[in-house]
Amino acid sequence: MIKLDPINTNFGPDIDDDEDGSPTWALGDILQSLEGSDKPPQFLVSRANELVQLFQRNPLLKNELVLTVFGRRVQALLLHPAKEVVAAGFRVARYAITNIDSLKAIIGLRTDALIIKSLAKDNKFNIEREQAIKFIRAYAEIPNGVDELSLGIVCALVAVAEQEEDRIRGIAIETLAELLVFDPNKVSAAGGIKTLCKTLANGPYVLSDTISIAFVYLLDRPDTRKYIWPGQDLDIAISSFTELQEKDHFDEQKLRSCARVLAVMLKTWQGIFYMCMYNGRLLNSLVQSLRIPIPGLRDIIMDLLFDCFQIKSPAWATPFLAGRRLTSYIAPNDSTQHRRYERSNSYSLVDHYISLIMAIFLEAELLKFLILVIEENIDATNSRKAILLLGEFISIASKVLPQSYAEKTQVLGSLFSSAAEFGTLSRFPASSAIYQIDKITKNLYRSVPHMALGLRGVIDFNKGEPKRSELKKMKLGLHLDDTYFRSLLLETNVLSTKNYTKWNWETLIELLQGPLLNPKRLEEAIRATKFMKRLMSFYRPFKYRFSEVRKTSSSERYVKAGSILFKTLLANPEGVKYLMDNKLLRQVAECLAQLDPMSGITSSEPLLSKHRLETTLCYGYFTLLGTLSSDPNGIAMIERWRMFNMFYHLSELQSRKDLIIRLILELDYRLEGHTRIILARVLTAADKEVRMFATNHVSRLFEYDNVDASKWAIKLLVEQLYDVDEEVRELAVKVLSDACDDPQTLDYIVHYLPSLDHLEDITMPLLLRFLSTSEGFRYLKGLKYIQSQMDEWFTEGNKSFVDLVETRLGQAFLPFEENTLNSSGVVPPHFYRELVRTREGCELLRKADHVRKFADYVRAHAMEDHDLQVIRMLKGCLWAIGNVGSLPLGVPFLEEMNIIETIVNIANLSPVWSLKGTAFYVLGLISSTMEGLEMSDEFGWESVISVMGEPVGLCIPANLATFVTVPIWEAESVLRPSRRGVYVADEDLHLKQVVVSQPRAKNNEER
């Protein structure tokens, strides 16, 4: 809100438009008070602010404005000599705009000249100039509003953007970038493109991303591409890398800004095609910049390549880059276990795009220059980062590139040659690099072993299932002799000291998982030694040993050991009896009673308080209880100490959401009983946050190898579809949709699912999955869902799918730290794809004859380059054809239509670059089957095949040039500024003169 400071603005009574007042009366009163020229500035600003507040509270009030009367009041404010009043006038005018007619009426007040006059003033009038630019931005909020923007205003914005010392320069540049998207003609004629290109290279760098996105948009179609000079305008971004740099005097901020611009280009079709022009001149310049022996420059380029290849380095990469020796495999954790191209067992558009990018960089000899960085070994960190990038590149290439491309990455010729020159010192960096690349490749191979088999699923590293070697060791441990068993007991140090920090926990866990599973050995450990007594004593809450240990990554082994201990005891009758009589469970029950409001036991500092659960290993007691709940004998122990009663009471505590979440997270639900009842109650009666967590947690029940648990989980999720909160319902739909990947689970869902009419559109992804089975098809046909959706997708659904896919791709290519939406680029569910999963669906699709109509539309508009609606519909038809052809039952449709050749022609020759990209993705979909692979191979597109001989849905042209090479266009010089100045049309000449004359007039006054 604009304020006059420090002058008091409290003039006249405040206008109240609440229930007792009339907004219309308040509007009339304010407009009447603004009449007359004798009012002080403070009063005018105060009343203008009240008018804006009135519009904010009552948006429909704008429609009651009499624009002739309102316009005179606004004009009076804009002509006032006080800058605050003028600013208030622009603000009022901006809030009064509702449609194109009201915008034209306000423009009729000659606001164009007034805007130019305000922008020509110096920084003392920034409050006025800022509101003038905000008023300009309001043009873009109205449909076709930018068409009413005069060339003079754009020229004024360019003048502001060119002044490096101007405080509002950043706002002016950002506004120019947005106007470039809406009306590139005016921005080009005003010289704005030249200004924006300079900003890309010289700053302000915070705006580089916004400007580059605007330029990428222009590159898409011929009618907007003509405003960019090929080989000049955007090449300025690479010039920062290729210009002469000095080791100690290079501009890191400038280089990182240009790297972000190049990242935007490399992650979009428009950008990658532009960089491949002139035989890949820009791309080759970027790669060859690695030859410049400046560590900082090389580091920035390699960071750019990590980002473009979507490589999220594993946990061991940081110590490796810091100089540690890479000798052993480190198992990944939840946060760093996978790179993006390995995250789903579904076809990923990101994988497909990365395969093309890697092939292009392979042709640009990236490996050669990475090897050069390694061999020179000027900077140790640079060399290690190049080794890591090279190892990652080779690993990814083996999975996403066809054989003819991937085999090129397996030959590191110069590196092996250097390593073999035994008489020179240069062999040591080369031989070290080969060794490190080998270790990196092994670590990457081990971290995702399923990739070695050509599979693309995600492994859960936290299930705790023992390896085969460990199982063998456990079996051998059951049959140890007495001497060796006693030596193991002594080796744990449990018998020699009570200090748990001196215990050998590795040996202790080995003992629990092996010899102590033998009833005889367990009985000996319990009766003949103090081993079990001391171990159980450590876990007793009121001994304050385990419960006082700080929660760290290294101390989590104590929780793991406790869980194994309970499993070992539950596996033997002697252990069950010992655990039943031990004080441990009684004390845990007392800790729970301290929190139970119905127990009568209270404590000022409960052992399971929120702070202690977050900072100590007290949370581990819930893990131990979860272990007990997985065994019938353990459940009997929980019932004996009446802990289930306390669980019911704790699940109703609204003040301890953390406790409820921890409880439902750790309990086991394989056995029918109280644990399932508790989870069901939480799902229906708890707070929204807890219900959301519990709904998501139900998805883990599908991981159990238990049909009964899976059916019960489906029932719970179906009930969640009736939750009062829409977010919970949406989450339940998502979880059910993900569970449909398993055909048996899908059959269960179809069997249990009731009517979904009340959920409207949010169940569409779930219902689409139902089409993949005959039972689901009949279920939806009975609801008359299939015919209605077929009509909807034929008319509008395909176009909506285009918007959804392009949005997801944009999100997937965000940098890792910015991708909060976790978009993976996997193809969303498509109606026609799901329809052709069953023979019933194929018959229905053949009767509707939609595929033939899509094919005819594609042939008729294959080379469309102007009409946006036709292009959008063309993309929708291509996606529909690709999704039909991505499944074996859908391939005959493509063979009948003979449409593959047309799609290939679009990919190679379309003047719309995003349309070329769509055709590229569609060919990947088609190559997901052996029949589609053969069809694409006939037209020169090579597909990726797993080692099992199955297509994975990735293909690129055998001759890259046929796809990435685009014709050079000529920029229309009439629409571009000359290098000596800006040409302006005659009718707007007076507006340009205003921009030029204002500073001169001011200088004359100062003299």
Side-chain angles (χ1 to χ4, degrees):
M1 181 182 297
I2 300 171
K3 294 183 179 179
L4 283 178
D5 204 14
I7 303 174
N8 183 12
T9 61
N10 187 18
F11 284 79
D14 291 336
I15 301 300
D16 187 11
D17 63 306
D18 56 14
E19 296 178 358
D20 298 329
S22 169
T24 304
W25 180 86
L27 174 63
D29 183 73
I30 293 174
L31 292 178
Q32 186 177 3
S33 66
L34 291 174
E35 188 176 1
S37 58
D38 56 343
K39 303 291 192 306
Q42 300 93 328
F43 176 82
L44 295 175
V45 172
S46 176
R47 303 304 277 178
N49 288 340
E50 292 173 5
L51 183 56
V52 169
Q53 291 176 351
L54 190 63
F55 286 152
Q56 290 175 334
R57 291 193 296 267
N58 304 278
L60 297 179
L61 194 62
K62 302 175 187 179
N63 299 325
E64 300 181 14
L65 287 174
V66 180
L67 293 179
T68 54
V69 177
F70 176 76
R72 288 196 298 270
R73 304 292 187 273
V74 171
Q75 195 171 46
L77 294 175
L78 295 176
L79 293 172
H80 199 279
K83 59 185 178 183
E84 292 85 0
V85 178
V86 178
F90 280 124
R91 187 164 181 255
V92 169
R94 173 163 56 92
Y95 273 92
I97 298 174
T98 57
N99 50 41
I100 192 68
D101 293 330
S102 60
L103 178 61
K104 289 179 179 179
I106 292 176
I107 293 174
L109 304 174
R110 297 192 63 80
T111 52
D112 288 2
L114 296 172
I115 290 171
I116 296 171
K117 178 181 177 182
S118 296
L119 292 178
K121 296 178 180 178
D122 59 24
N123 287 331
K124 296 179 182 178
F125 294 84
N126 275 349
I127 188 173
E128 173 185 336
R129 302 169 76 217
E130 180 183 339
Q131 291 298 322
I133 292 182
K134 287 184 176 181
F135 180 76
I136 296 172
R137 295 172 68 87
Y139 281 69
E141 298 176 3
I142 304 298
N144 301 320
V146 177
D147 296 341
E148 305 300 323
L149 193 66
S150 70
L151 182 60
I153 291 180
V154 183
C155 290
L157 276 174
V158 173
V160 174
E162 289 178 343
Q163 303 301 317
E164 294 185 4
E165 302 300 325
D166 201 315
R167 293 180 182 176
I168 64 170
R169 183 190 178 210
I171 307 175
I173 292 174
E174 189 172 357
T175 304
L176 275 177
E178 294 177 7
L179 292 178
L180 184 63
V181 174
F182 287 102
D183 195 342
N185 194 343
K186 287 191 178 74
V187 176
S188 175
I193 291 182
K194 179 182 177 182
T195 302
L196 293 174
C197 289
K198 287 182 178 179
T199 303
L200 284 179
N202 303 320
Y205 300 121
V206 70
L207 299 176
S208 298
D209 295 352
T210 302
I211 297 172
S212 57
I213 291 172
F215 277 121
V216 163
Y217 175 82
L218 290 191
L219 286 171
D220 191 35
R221 304 191 314 277
D223 58 337
T224 55
R225 197 180 304 145
K226 63 185 179 184
Y227 297 107
I228 297 177
W229 281 10
Q232 295 189 35
D233 284 341
L234 294 180
D235 290 31
I236 198 170
I238 196 67
S239 63
S240 300
F241 291 95
T242 56
E243 66 187 9
L244 183 62
Q245 305 273 358
E246 296 182 14
K247 184 174 181 180
D248 299 324
H249 298 87
F250 74 98
D251 192 340
E252 182 177 357
Q253 184 182 12
K254 180 178 181 180
L255 286 174
R256 292 203 176 276
S257 173
C258 291
R260 289 199 303 272
V261 174
L262 292 174
V264 171
M265 296 181 67
L266 287 170
K267 293 177 183 179
T268 57
W269 288 114
Q270 298 88 338
I272 196 63
F273 288 136
Y274 183 86
M275 294 189 73
C276 289
M277 290 172 58
Y278 302 105
N279 295 322
R281 184 174 66 188
L282 273 181
L283 205 67
N284 291 327
S285 298
L286 174 64
V287 173
Q288 292 176 19
S289 296
L290 288 169
R291 304 172 77 174
I292 304 175
I294 302 176
L297 176 64
R298 287 175 168 178
D299 185 68
I300 292 172
I301 294 176
M302 286 189 283
D303 285 342
L304 169 64
L305 295 175
F306 271 104
D307 183 31
C308 291
F309 297 145
Q310 297 286 282
I311 299 173
K312 187 175 183 180
S313 298
W316 44 262
T318 302
F320 172 73
L321 294 177
R324 284 190 177 183
R325 188 178 179 186
L326 187 61
T327 57
S328 60
Y329 163 62
I330 303 173
N333 55 31
D334 282 342
S335 60
T336 60
Q337 65 185 19
H338 302 293
R339 288 173 298 282
R340 283 189 171 178
Y341 57 87
E342 296 167 344
R343 40 182 182 263
S344 175
N345 57 2
S346 303
Y347 172 85
S348 172
L349 302 179
V350 175
D351 296 351
H352 198 187
Y353 187 82
I354 289 175
S355 69
L356 176 68
I357 296 296
M358 296 190 74
I360 293 173
F361 273 97
L362 200 59
E363 295 291 326
E365 298 184 320
L366 173 63
L367 301 188
K368 169 185 174 182
F369 292 101
L370 287 176
I371 292 173
L372 176 66
V373 175
I374 296 170
E375 290 178 337
E376 289 183 352
N377 199 25
I378 296 175
D379 181 82
T381 303
N382 272 172
S383 181
R384 283 178 168 266
K385 183 171 284 190
I387 291 172
L388 179 61
L389 179 58
L390 190 58
E392 292 270 15
F393 190 98
I394 294 172
S395 176
I396 301 172
S398 65
K399 304 171 184 68
V400 301
L401 286 179
Q403 185 176 357
S404 62
Y405 287 92
E407 62 188 14
K408 298 177 183 178
T409 65
Q410 306 302 319
V411 181
L412 305 177
S414 61
L415 202 60
F416 282 103
S417 300
S418 299
E421 295 176 359
F422 294 98
T424 63
L425 295 177
S426 62
R427 66 174 294 267
F428 294 106
S431 59
S432 175
I434 293 173
Y435 170 76
Q436 295 293 353
I437 291 173
D438 179 60
K439 297 297 294 184
I440 287 171
T441 304
K442 287 181 179 178
N443 272 16
L444 294 175
Y445 180 86
R446 290 170 181 170
S447 65
V448 193
H450 62 286
M451 295 298 289
L453 299 176
L455 305 176
R456 297 159 56 84
V458 174
I459 290 179
D460 185 359
F461 288 90
N462 299 305
K463 288 186 177 180
E465 296 179 358
K467 299 178 181 178
R468 183 177 299 176
S469 59
E470 293 176 351
L471 286 172
K472 186 176 181 181
K473 187 184 297 184
M474 289 164 58
K475 290 180 180 178
L476 290 174
L478 291 172
H479 307 288
L480 295 178
D481 57 34
D482 294 345
T483 304
Y484 187 59
F485 172 67
R486 292 192 181 97
S487 67
L488 279 179
L489 285 179
L490 293 173
E491 189 179 335
T492 62
N493 292 330
V494 175
L495 297 178
S496 58
T497 178
K498 292 183 179 180
N499 188 345
Y500 67 91
T501 61
K502 295 183 179 181
W503 294 352
N504 188 335
W505 287 93
E506 287 74 17
T507 304
L508 195 152
I509 291 175
E510 181 182 345
L511 197 62
L512 290 171
Q513 289 182 326
L516 290 180
L517 291 174
N518 187 320
K520 178 183 176 182
R521 301 302 181 192
L522 181 61
E523 182 179 1
E524 182 180 348
I526 293 174
R527 297 183 183 276
T529 69
K530 294 184 178 181
F531 176 82
M532 196 59 68
K533 180 180 179 181
R534 286 188 175 177
L535 195 55
M536 296 294 286
S537 177
F538 166 70
Y539 286 100
R540 281 165 55 183
F542 297 127
K543 286 289 187 177
Y544 296 105
R545 300 170 70 192
F546 174 79
S547 57
E548 289 293 323
V549 178
R550 307 302 296 177
K551 183 180 179 181
T552 63
S553 57
S554 60
S555 65
E556 289 180 357
R557 60 179 178 172
Y558 304 141
V559 180
K560 177 183 177 182
S563 179
I564 295 173
L565 171 62
F566 273 39
K567 289 179 181 178
T568 301
L569 293 174
L570 291 170
N572 290 288
E574 185 68 26
V576 171
K577 183 177 182 301
Y578 179 77
L579 186 58
M580 181 80 76
D581 298 333
N582 196 273
K583 295 180 181 180
L584 173 58
L585 295 183
R586 184 175 64 188
Q587 291 188 8
V588 172
E590 187 176 343
C591 293
L592 292 171
Q594 292 175 353
L595 303 174
D596 184 3
M598 309 295 289
S599 67
I601 300 176
T602 59
S603 174
S604 58
E605 294 183 5
L607 200 68
L608 300 179
S609 64
K610 183 176 181 180
H611 174 71
R612 293 180 67 88
L613 287 179
E614 292 174 349
T615 59
T616 69
L617 294 187
C618 286
Y619 79 91
Y621 290 115
F622 288 98
T623 304
L624 301 182
L625 292 173
T627 304
L628 289 178
S629 66
S630 64
D631 187 271
N633 292 319
I635 290 178
M637 296 179 197
I638 297 176
E639 290 177 340
R640 177 187 179 187
W641 297 107
R642 300 182 180 178
M643 282 189 266
F644 278 126
N645 291 339
M646 290 182 274
F647 288 166
Y648 287 121
H649 298 154
L650 294 177
S651 65
E652 298 173 356
L653 284 179
Q654 297 298 324
S655 59
R656 291 298 306 273
K657 297 178 184 178
D658 63 305
L659 200 65
I660 304 172
I661 289 175
R662 175 60 62 179
L663 183 63
I664 62 177
L665 180 65
E666 299 294 351
L667 288 179
D668 190 280
Y669 304 98
R670 290 181 177 87
L671 301 177
E672 189 173 356
H674 290 287
T675 55
R676 294 189 179 185
I677 298 173
I678 291 170
L679 179 58
R681 289 185 60 176
V682 169
L683 283 168
T684 55
D687 186 80
K688 173 188 171 183
E689 178 185 350
V690 180
R691 296 202 315 275
M692 291 282 289
F693 179 86
T695 302
N696 192 54
H697 182 69
V698 172
S699 62
R700 297 187 62 180
L701 272 61
F702 295 116
E703 300 174 6
Y704 294 163
D705 188 15
N706 188 316
V707 175
D708 179 63
S710 298
K711 290 183 177 180
W712 176 72
I714 293 170
K715 288 182 180 179
L716 290 180
L717 290 171
V718 169
E719 291 175 1
Q720 290 304 96
L721 297 176
Y722 295 92
D723 194 277
V724 295
D725 192 276
E726 184 176 356
E727 290 186 31
V728 178
R729 297 196 297 269
E730 290 180 356
L731 180 59
V733 170
K734 181 181 181 302
V735 174
L736 284 171
S737 300
D738 294 341
C740 289
D741 290 336
D742 179 28
Q744 188 177 13
T745 303
L746 177 58
D747 290 337
Y748 294 151
I749 295 174
V750 174
H751 176 73
Y752 287 116
L753 206 60
S755 175
L756 302 174
D757 295 340
H758 67 289
L759 297 175
E760 299 178 348
D761 295 335
I762 67 173
T763 56
M764 188 182 73
L766 176 59
L767 295 178
L768 286 179
R769 303 302 297 271
F770 287 4
L771 291 172
S772 59
T773 67
S774 298
E775 185 178 352
F777 182 88
R778 291 190 293 270
Y779 171 81
L780 294 178
K781 190 174 182 180
L783 296 177
K784 299 182 179 179
Y785 171 83
I786 297 178
Q787 191 59 50
S788 63
Q789 282 297 307
M790 182 173 284
D791 296 339
E792 170 65 23
W793 275 81
F794 184 73
T795 55
E796 296 295 330
N798 283 326
K799 292 186 285 186
S800 300
F801 184 84
V802 173
D803 300 336
L804 176 62
V805 168
E806 293 181 352
T807 300
R808 287 197 179 182
L809 278 174
Q811 295 168 351
F813 278 115
L814 287 173
F816 289 102
E817 62 274 7
E818 297 178 18
N819 188 13
T820 56
L821 298 175
N822 295 319
S823 179
S824 62
V826 175
V827 181
H830 194 286
F831 175 78
Y832 291 103
R833 177 185 174 89
E834 304 303 322
L835 194 63
V836 296
R837 289 184 184 274
T838 61
R839 298 194 180 279
E840 296 91 337
C842 291
E843 293 175 4
L844 183 62
L845 184 60
R846 192 174 298 279
K847 290 179 181 178
D849 204 22
H850 284 184
V851 178
R852 183 190 61 78
K853 294 176 182 177
F854 293 147
D856 291 344
Y857 192 92
V858 169
R859 290 191 186 94
H861 302 280
M863 295 298 133
E864 176 63 41
D865 64 355
H866 180 72
D867 193 320
L868 290 177
Q869 292 302 319
V870 172
I871 292 173
R872 184 169 174 241
M873 187 63 192
L874 179 58
K875 290 180 181 179
C877 292
L878 284 172
W879 280 115
I881 292 172
N883 277 281
V884 169
S886 64
L887 296 173
L889 292 179
V891 173
F893 289 94
L894 303 189
E895 294 175 342
E896 294 170 9
M897 302 303 151
N898 195 23
I899 192 63
I900 304 295
E901 183 177 3
T902 304
I903 298 175
V904 172
N905 288 336
I906 293 175
N908 293 334
L909 304 174
S910 175
V912 180
W913 291 354
S914 62
L915 196 55
K916 285 168 64 74
T918 301
F920 174 83
Y921 287 137
V922 169
L923 288 170
L925 282 172
I926 293 173
S927 68
S928 299
T929 64
M930 290 303 300
E931 297 85 352
L933 183 150
E934 294 173 359
M935 288 190 288
S936 59
D937 185 63
E938 291 177 4
F939 293 96
W941 285 65
E942 293 187 38
S943 300
V944 181
I945 302 176
S946 70
V947 294
M948 305 300 292
E950 298 177 353
V952 298
L954 305 175
C955 70
I956 58 176
N959 183 4
L960 275 179
T962 60
F963 177 67
V964 299
T965 303
V966 292
I968 309 300
W969 69 93
E970 292 187 6
E972 296 189 14
S973 57
V974 176
L975 302 174
R976 292 304 315 272
S978 71
R979 295 300 177 187
R980 294 171 293 178
V982 179
Y983 293 119
V984 183
D986 293 339
E987 59 270 22
D988 291 323
L989 185 59
H990 66 285
L991 297 178
K992 181 62 181 176
Q993 289 174 345
V994 173
V995 177
V996 177
S997 64
Q998 286 294 328
R1000 294 179 180 174
K1002 180 179 181 300
N1003 292 335
N1004 293 333
E1005 291 174 2
E1006 291 178 350
R1007 293 176 184 174

